[in-house]
Amino acid sequence: MMNHTRIQRLTDYTSISLAGLCAVHCFLTPVVLILFPILGSTFMFKEIFHELMLFLVIPASLVAIFLGCRRHKDFNVIVLGVLGLGFLVSGAFVTRGYGEYIFTFIGAFIMISGHLRNFRLCRKDDCYEH
């Protein structure tokens, strides 16, 4: 059975990876669509992609941030997490066109910075003790 330490570490890694994937996706989508317009009809370039990514990002991020902040008590991690999630949700549901990519890109980087801070604080405070 997984303990809180393993779950928190796994969700931090997962959230950083997913946010990075979102950022790469948003950065490369315009370039790929210009070079290979036929790819626009694939799943990776449909609007639902952001919604499905949020389905994974939101729970993983909330678990990682909650478990980390419970140990190290740095509430800047919560602020970065909520702000980043706000941008990601806005990118997926509120804005359209290039705004969707800009909001998602900004949100992904805020989320990555929040999770990296969470990760570093947990390593410093031995949250990841074995």
Side-chain angles (χ1 to χ4, degrees), residues 91-105:
F93 296 110
V94 178
T95 61
R96 291 291 169 235
Y98 287 112
E100 178 179 0
Y101 298 114
I102 292 168
F103 271 66
T104 303
F105 197 71

Side-chain angles (χ1 to χ4, degrees), residues 68-74 77 117-118 121-122 125 127:
C69 285
R70 194 174 80 180
R71 301 283 300 262
H72 56 64
K73 308 279 192 266
D74 181 44
V77 172
R117 181 177 180 89
N118 194 40
L121 287 168
C122 280
D125 294 344
C127 296

Side-chain angles (χ1 to χ4, degrees), residues 24-36:
V24 168
H25 176 265
C26 289
F27 181 72
L28 291 181
T29 294
V31 174
V32 170
L33 291 178
I34 289 169
L35 296 176
F36 307 103

